[in-house]
Amino acid sequence: MATKKTPSKKQAAREAATKPTPPARQGRTKDPKDELTLDAIARTASGIHKAINAVKRPELKMPVRSLSNVTYDQKKGYFELGKDKKIRTLSVATVKTFAQTLKMMSLSADLIRSNDFATKRDAYYQSKNWGDARFEEQPESDTVMDDIEALFSELGVSREQLRYVPDQHGGAVAGELIVVDRDIETGALIEIDCTRFGSGAYAVPSWVEHLKFRTKAKFILCIETQGMFQRLQSHKYWQKAGCVLVSMGGVPTRACRRFVRLLSEQANIPVYAFTDCDPYGFTNIYRTLKVGSGNAAHINQFFCVPEVRYLGLTPQDIVDFDLNKATHPLAEVDVKRAFDALKNDPFFQSQKPWKAAIDMLMKMQKRAEQQALSLHGLNFVIDEYLPVKLKSIDKFLP
Amino acid sequence: MATKKTPSKKQAAREAATKPTPPARQGRTKDPKDELTLDAIARTASGIHKAINAVKRPELKMPVRSLSNVTYDQKKGYFELGKDKKIRTLSVATVKTFAQTLKMMSLSADLIRSNDFATKRDAYYQSKNWGDARFEEQPESDTVMDDIEALFSELGVSREQLRYVPDQHGGAVAGELIVVDRDIETGALIEIDCTRFGSGAYAVPSWVEHLKFRTKAKFILCIETQGMFQRLQSHKYWQKAGCVLVSMGGVPTRACRRFVRLLSEQANIPVYAFTDCDPYGFTNIYRTLKVGSGNAAHINQFFCVPEVRYLGLTPQDIVDFDLNKATHPLAEVDVKRAFDALKNDPFFQSQKPWKAAIDMLMKMQKRAEQQALSLHGLNFVIDEYLPVKLKSIDKFLP
């Protein structure tokens, strides 16, 4: 360690920390979504302000975030929060959390005004400058953020719109799609042609609210494994089929789900999911993409893709495509997961074709990975499987 | 499950499975690397053929892949395999593995000739058509592939050159770089400008052997977290600093490491790693990127980046940049990892500045994440930290 204590660095750090959030770095166009978010923050804050002026105890009503307060509405197509509320009233016991909630909302407003964003961690570290309202540990800060997320979800505002972004990638994308982004500093439009990446792809950013899309694709294909995505991308399957390929890399992240949701809505095209034929592929990947999760029901309205249909391997496909040689026996965890889906999951319970498929899987006691199609040649998936499946979209599992 | 058993699908599957590997789908240019690989396969195979013709027992000499057969050469800058060999001689006991090894080599030659690639899983499923030489379980097939990888590594041929590619992403990239790829079907050149991705990025493919690069960047910055990468990318730090940004997403994958290695070699520019100040950042991320791992020493010659230097947070930075408020106490696992590095790791043992830094960390009993810099403002990292650090490159940890 050759460097010595350099007073100038410390000084710069201290000055930077006490500076107010800078104004937007550039002349950017106002986004209507941002205006809505700022308005929601202002309304919440002024409610509290009014209560204080009227010498009343201010309070925040937040939805209870627990499985007991979750319902599944088949029409809407996702798990959503029920009506249970917890009320956080300002008192001696709650004053710190109350203050932290307001500081976090205020930081969000600053982020929108300066056209910037922060991860959960960034917000936690920023709080160290909030005096007595600072968070001691990150789990505290995460809980307050989850509460804010639930509070604002009722106003139709997502955490990403509050400019709190996840510290995770958003998947990879290739195919018949132009993504329209904006330079964060100049506001200039940037067009990204997803047909032009060779064997590589477009890496979806951590937040996607600001993206627009132009596409002539007929559908979006969301793929479980990077290996299968790489095959379809390298061989330009998207050109043959006229589609957009999305690599989920296992259970899709928030950003990946939001990307697919926004794209399918804006372009008004169907979404098909291509996963392994096993309970993990059905319940953890497909079900999360389609109806969201019960644990985080307050965000499903933004993230789930209710229209998605299942093009992935089914137990019947193991028979139809002669894949028996390439199956594996179900492991204990598979059986448990399948049983759980049939017994406890309102989505699978409400869908007869899924119940039949899972019953068939349990009878066969076998699972098959999407790459099992390699049994018949590496490009059998392109030359046979996908074209055959796409001839009978009406037979896809719902 | 509405679909019924469709004989035509089954028939198509069976026919596809028995078809020989198709010739290249297009008129592509021959790659000298491919010619070298085919030559290495042919030489190995003809050695066996000759032995059989001479009524001798054919054998394959493979490097022993174990930690006891690993040495660290400070000059070369990576862990490498020692001279211990295991000899696989054709006998009644070894005939199946011997045949599997040859079949796997033959599949590799087919893949090169048809300009295709396969994951480990693809190869395993293909083997189901090899009659008695089929693999029963994937771990068997993985072991044979690792042996082949070690065997060919001595001839300077990597697994990716054998066209066996990992089922994983290769990280995300943005900045002053043009990647030159080729259309796998037509051979046409594709240029990908990594300054044109907005808030998104270029997703590196699973294998990168075929990529070429054009860049005026002054350095490559490899970043631990997606959150920090997103900040630097959204604010176009690459433009301010004239660099290429790489998001490793934790410990870098094979494809990510190989990408950085090839780019730094072709462009002849330095590589800096930006990680957390904790034993995981030092040993698991930085050390893997720089000198590779002892467990897979046979691949380090292709994957490690010996020239990389450490620009990440150091214990001294916690003092210099006044980050104390944003530190966390070392956990037990951190202490164990640090102790292990000092006691057992030939890389850290050979580098005095690293020993001093880890000693200092152990004395402070504190760690800091790269996002701790948010303490002084979200863009303190761009406006202060990176510019200050880059003024004293000679002081970077080696």
Side-chain angles (χ1 to χ4, degrees):
Chain A
M1 297 300 303
T3 42
K4 281 200 182 163
K5 203 165 156 180
T6 320
S8 67
K9 286 184 209 168
K10 267 191 127 159
Q11 206 177 331
R14 290 221 181 88
E15 276 167 19
T18 51
K19 259 189 271 179
T21 308
R25 294 184 165 218
Q26 73 308 334
R28 56 181 266 270
T29 354
K30 278 185 187 171
D31 184 323
K33 268 193 205 169
D34 285 341
E35 298 305 311
L36 279 176
T37 309
L38 283 173
D39 185 55
I41 295 171
R43 272 186 292 143
T44 309
S46 74
I48 291 165
H49 190 238
K50 269 185 207 149
I52 292 171
N53 281 348
V55 204
K56 282 185 188 162
R57 283 201 172 172
E59 56 182 34
L60 289 167
K61 275 186 206 165
M62 316 204 178
V64 172
R65 292 180 291 106
S66 82
L67 276 177
S68 62
N69 189 31
V70 166
T71 57
Y72 175 65
D73 180 333
Q74 208 178 329
K75 245 194 224 157
K76 285 194 183 163
Y78 50 81
F79 294 120
E80 61 177 355
L81 275 189
K83 297 202 163 118
D84 294 353
K85 294 268 188 287
K86 63 176 177 189
I87 297 176
R88 183 169 292 158
T89 309
L90 181 56
S91 73
V92 174
T94 63
V95 63
K96 190 173 171 186
T97 322
F98 208 92
Q100 288 170 330
T101 309
L102 295 181
K103 285 294 277 181
M104 198 93 105
M105 280 163 52
S106 160
L107 176 57
S108 167
D110 286 346
L111 289 170
I112 296 171
R113 285 192 205 103
S114 61
N115 198 23
D116 213 332
F117 57 92
T119 62
K120 278 182 173 187
R121 264 173 222 275
D122 285 332
Y124 164 73
Y125 289 120
Q126 287 257 303
S127 86
K128 296 292 183 185
N129 302 309
W130 295 351
D132 288 341
R134 74 180 168 277
F135 295 106
E136 297 303 329
E137 305 280 348
Q138 215 195 312
E140 283 176 47
S141 134
D142 289 352
T143 305
V144 169
M145 191 166 297
D146 288 344
D147 279 342
I148 290 182
E149 180 169 34
L151 178 70
F152 281 88
S153 74
E154 298 203 309
L155 306 169
V157 173
S158 70
R159 195 168 89 202
E160 281 76 2
Q161 282 168 268
L162 292 164
R163 303 294 185 112
Y164 292 124
V165 312
D167 187 355
Q168 59 185 195
H169 70 87
V173 169
E176 301 286 1
L177 172 67
I178 288 170
V179 177
V180 183
D181 198 346
R182 274 180 186 279
D183 184 307
I184 202 176
E185 310 214 318
T186 65
L189 287 180
I190 299 163
E191 299 205 338
I192 301 149
D193 181 348
C194 298
T195 65
R196 300 277 312 142
F197 297 132
S199 53
Y202 168 65
V204 177
S206 307
W207 58 308
V208 299
E209 296 307 318
H210 54 297
L211 301 181
K212 304 275 176 253
F213 308 102
R214 285 211 316 273
T215 181
K216 287 179 185 163
K218 286 177 279 182
F219 61 94
I220 305 164
L221 186 62
C222 299
I223 302 156
E224 176 171 343
T225 64
Q226 169 66 21
M228 182 57 82
F229 173 82
Q230 188 69 64
R231 173 151 307 282
L232 299 186
Q233 158 64 341
S234 285
H235 289 287
K236 292 194 289 184
Y237 173 72
W238 47 263
Q239 193 174 59
K240 295 172 182 78
C243 69
V244 179
L245 305 173
V246 177
S247 171
M248 299 188 285
V251 177
T253 62
R254 283 174 73 111
C256 183
R257 292 163 63 199
R258 184 69 178 151
F259 180 89
V260 173
R261 163 73 174 268
L262 286 178
L263 172 57
S264 68
E265 271 181 2
Q266 279 189 34
N268 195 22
I269 48 175
V271 182
Y272 306 136
F274 183 14
T275 76
D276 291 347
C277 175
D278 58 29
Y280 189 81
F282 301 162
T283 69
N284 297 52
I285 298 179
Y286 179 70
R287 207 276 257 110
T288 301
L289 181 66
K290 185 174 178 100
V291 300
S293 76
N295 279 330
H298 56 295
I299 66 168
N300 290 336
Q301 59 170 310
F302 308 110
F303 290 95
C304 69
V305 185
E307 305 305 323
V308 62
R309 288 174 66 85
Y310 186 83
L311 161 153
L313 285 170
T314 64
Q316 187 64 42
D317 285 343
I318 294 177
V319 180
D320 290 350
F321 291 96
D322 202 15
L323 296 172
N324 202 33
K325 274 204 287 185
T327 56
H328 302 271
L330 287 188
E332 207 173 307
V333 59
D334 294 317
V335 174
K336 196 186 158 303
R337 207 170 260 140
F339 190 72
D340 207 47
L342 293 176
K343 201 181 158 216
N344 300 320
D345 192 308
F347 168 68
F348 290 106
Q349 284 172 336
S350 70
Q351 304 285 355
K352 278 191 190 160
W354 267 115
K355 281 175 80 172
I358 296 176
D359 280 339
M360 183 172 175
L361 190 83
M362 296 284 260
K363 262 183 215 133
M364 295 167 84
Q365 284 290 313
K366 278 172 194 162
R367 63 183 180 85
E369 295 168 335
Q370 55 183 185
Q371 291 184 315
L373 294 162
S374 299
L375 178 68
H376 303 309
L378 292 170
N379 293 308
F380 178 79
V381 60
I382 294 173
D383 300 333
E384 287 289 335
Y385 178 79
L386 289 171
V388 168
K389 292 279 280 197
L390 285 164
K391 273 183 202 150
S392 314
I393 291 169
D394 55 316
K395 289 181 186 158
F396 286 1
L397 288 168
Chain B
M1 296 299 304
T3 43
K4 282 201 181 163
K5 202 166 159 178
T6 319
S8 68
K9 288 185 207 166
K10 267 190 128 160
Q11 203 177 334
R14 290 222 181 88
E15 275 166 21
T18 50
K19 259 190 271 177
T21 309
R25 293 185 166 217
Q26 74 308 334
R28 58 180 265 268
T29 355
K30 278 186 186 170
D31 184 322
K33 268 192 204 169
D34 285 341
E35 298 304 311
L36 279 174
T37 309
L38 284 173
D39 185 55
I41 295 171
R43 272 186 292 143
T44 309
S46 74
I48 290 163
H49 190 238
K50 269 185 207 149
I52 293 171
N53 281 348
V55 205
K56 282 184 189 164
R57 282 199 173 174
E59 58 183 33
L60 288 167
K61 274 186 205 164
M62 315 202 177
V64 172
R65 293 180 291 106
S66 83
L67 277 177
S68 62
N69 189 31
V70 166
T71 58
Y72 174 64
D73 181 333
Q74 209 179 328
K75 246 194 223 156
K76 284 192 185 163
Y78 51 81
F79 294 118
E80 62 176 356
L81 276 189
K83 298 202 163 114
D84 294 355
K85 294 267 187 292
K86 65 176 176 188
I87 297 176
R88 182 169 293 158
T89 310
L90 180 58
S91 72
V92 174
T94 63
V95 63
K96 188 172 171 186
T97 323
F98 207 92
Q100 287 170 330
T101 311
L102 295 181
K103 285 295 275 181
M104 198 93 106
M105 281 163 50
S106 161
L107 176 56
S108 166
D110 286 346
L111 289 170
I112 296 170
R113 285 192 206 102
S114 61
N115 197 23
D116 212 331
F117 57 91
T119 62
K120 278 181 172 187
R121 264 172 221 274
D122 285 331
Y124 164 73
Y125 290 120
Q126 288 257 302
S127 86
K128 297 292 185 185
N129 301 309
W130 296 351
D132 289 340
R134 73 179 169 278
F135 294 106
E136 298 303 330
E137 305 281 349
Q138 216 195 312
E140 283 177 46
S141 134
D142 288 351
T143 305
V144 168
M145 190 167 295
D146 288 343
D147 280 342
I148 289 181
E149 180 169 34
L151 177 71
F152 280 88
S153 74
E154 298 204 307
L155 306 169
V157 173
S158 71
R159 194 169 89 201
E160 281 77 1
Q161 283 169 268
L162 292 165
R163 302 295 184 110
Y164 292 124
V165 313
D167 188 354
Q168 59 185 194
H169 71 87
V173 169
E176 302 285 2
L177 171 67
I178 288 169
V179 177
V180 184
D181 197 345
R182 273 180 187 280
D183 184 307
I184 203 176
E185 310 213 319
T186 65
L189 286 181
I190 298 163
E191 299 205 338
I192 302 148
D193 182 346
C194 297
T195 66
R196 300 279 312 144
F197 285 95
S199 54
Y202 167 65
V204 177
S206 308
W207 58 308
V208 299
E209 296 307 318
H210 54 296
L211 302 181
K212 304 276 177 253
F213 308 103
R214 284 209 317 272
T215 182
K216 287 179 184 165
K218 285 179 279 181
F219 61 94
I220 304 164
L221 186 62
C222 299
I223 301 157
E224 176 170 342
T225 64
Q226 169 66 20
M228 181 57 82
F229 174 81
Q230 188 68 64
R231 174 151 305 281
L232 300 185
Q233 159 65 341
S234 285
H235 289 287
K236 291 194 289 184
Y237 173 72
W238 46 264
Q239 194 174 58
K240 296 171 181 81
C243 68
V244 179
L245 303 173
V246 177
S247 171
M248 299 187 287
V251 177
T253 61
R254 284 174 72 112
C256 182
R257 293 164 62 200
R258 183 69 179 152
F259 180 89
V260 173
R261 164 72 175 270
L262 285 178
L263 172 57
S264 69
E265 271 181 2
Q266 278 189 34
N268 196 22
I269 49 175
V271 182
Y272 306 136
F274 183 13
T275 76
D276 291 347
C277 176
D278 59 27
Y280 189 80
F282 301 162
T283 69
N284 296 52
I285 299 179
Y286 179 70
R287 206 276 257 111
T288 301
L289 182 66
K290 185 174 178 101
V291 301
S293 77
N295 278 331
H298 55 295
I299 66 168
N300 290 336
Q301 58 169 312
F302 307 110
F303 291 95
C304 69
V305 185
E307 305 305 324
V308 62
R309 288 174 66 87
Y310 186 83
L311 162 153
L313 284 171
T314 64
Q316 187 63 42
D317 285 343
I318 294 177
V319 180
D320 290 350
F321 290 96
D322 202 14
L323 296 172
N324 203 33
K325 274 204 287 187
T327 56
H328 301 271
L330 287 187
E332 206 173 310
V333 58
D334 294 317
V335 174
K336 198 186 157 303
R337 208 170 257 141
F339 190 73
D340 206 48
L342 293 177
K343 201 179 156 219
N344 300 319
D345 192 308
F347 168 68
F348 290 106
Q349 285 172 335
S350 70
Q351 303 284 357
K352 278 191 190 161
W354 267 114
K355 282 174 79 171
I358 296 175
D359 280 339
M360 184 170 173
L361 190 85
M362 296 283 259
K363 263 184 213 132
M364 295 166 83
Q365 284 291 313
K366 278 171 191 161
R367 63 183 181 84
E369 294 168 337
Q370 54 182 185
Q371 290 184 315
L373 295 162
S374 300
L375 177 69
H376 304 309
L378 293 170
N379 293 309
F380 179 78
V381 60
I382 293 173
D383 300 335
E384 287 289 334
Y385 179 80
L386 290 171
V388 167
K389 292 279 280 196
L390 284 164
K391 274 184 199 148
S392 313
I393 291 169
D394 54 317
K395 288 180 186 159
F396 286 1
L397 287 168

